Amino acid sequence: MAQALKTVTAQLPVNRMDDMATRLDRSKQWIVRKAVVAYIARAERERQMIQEGLDDIAAGRTISLEAMELWADSLGGPNERPLPQIGE
């Protein structure tokens, strides 16, 4: 399914974009589009990961702070503990 496209206007650092466009042999429009698409994808993934974490909390899939601290404090030592499991 084709995505709907719309032209938008924004003030951007032109000198830096000109330099990048020259280095990449691409248009400024191409650079802006790639940057915005990448930003939106990252923001969507971040929101998805936050929601997954909230869902885990709501379902009780958590590890106590005490268990995590015991594990973290043991890292690199002679008695390194295994990674805590859900419910610990």
Side-chain angles (χ1 to χ4, degrees), residues 32-79:
V32 170
R33 188 150 115 210
K34 285 287 190 179
V36 171
V37 168
Y39 174 83
I40 290 170
R42 188 180 78 231
E44 288 172 341
R45 178 64 182 135
E46 182 179 301
R47 180 66 195 125
Q48 178 186 8
M49 290 169 49
I50 290 169
Q51 188 58 55
E52 289 172 5
L54 293 172
D55 292 345
D56 283 341
I57 291 168
R61 295 185 295 263
T62 61
I63 299 171
S64 72
L65 176 61
E66 180 183 3
M68 289 304 297
E69 286 176 339
L70 286 171
W71 170 75
D73 289 343
S74 76
L75 293 177
N79 300 316

Side-chain angles (χ1 to χ4, degrees), residues 3 20 26 31 45 53 75 81 83:
Q3 293 182 1
M20 182 174 278
R26 295 286 188 165
I31 293 168
R45 178 64 182 135
L75 293 177
R81 300 172 62 96
L83 186 64

